[in-house]
Amino acid sequence: MKQFFILEGGYLILALFVILVTVFVGTRPFVSKNALKKGLMGVVPILVLLIGGHYIVTTNRMTEVKLAFEKGQPIICESRMIRKAAQSVTVLKSQEWSLEKDNFVSPGYDRPFHSARCIVK
């Protein structure tokens, strides 16, 4: 469950904002009495499907990246440290990279790279 909140935290906050807007608009006096119920019945299932689908896709990609790393395949990770030069880092097991939980770490880099932000080359 902790991983879900780490990966989807931003989207959960956005979804809460959308639900609050739906409640605010649905409770205004100029809309029909069933507007709140209809609005929530339309918005909440869509948000659940989108966030749930994103979580499933992300965790599947993380599993794929971890398996490929263990096989020695190159992994490309997004680098947020350097924006002007190379914006990605190639991670290889043979180049002193290791996998600690969900993070790729190396003695040559200060920051770890989360496997959710990586793809198999």
Side-chain angles (χ1 to χ4, degrees), residues 60-76:
N60 287 342
R61 186 178 64 245
M62 287 170 60
T63 303
E64 179 185 338
V65 164
K66 290 177 190 177
L67 291 173
F69 177 75
E70 293 301 328
K71 291 179 184 178
Q73 295 177 324
I75 308 296
I76 299 174

Side-chain angles (χ1 to χ4, degrees), residues 18-81:
V18 169
I19 290 171
L20 289 174
V21 168
T22 303
V23 169
F24 180 77
V25 171
T27 56
R28 299 296 95 199
F30 55 83
V31 297
S32 69
K33 291 184 179 186
N34 290 330
L36 177 62
K37 183 179 176 182
K38 288 179 181 179
L40 289 176
M41 286 177 41
V43 169
V44 171
I46 290 172
L47 292 173
V48 168
L49 282 172
L50 291 172
I51 292 172
H54 184 265
Y55 178 73
I56 290 170
V57 168
T58 301
T59 53
N60 287 342
R61 186 178 64 245
M62 287 170 60
T63 303
E64 179 185 338
V65 164
K66 290 177 190 177
L67 291 173
F69 177 75
E70 293 301 328
K71 291 179 184 178
Q73 295 177 324
I75 308 296
I76 299 174
C77 293
E78 174 186 25
S79 175
R80 294 184 178 180
M81 282 179 54

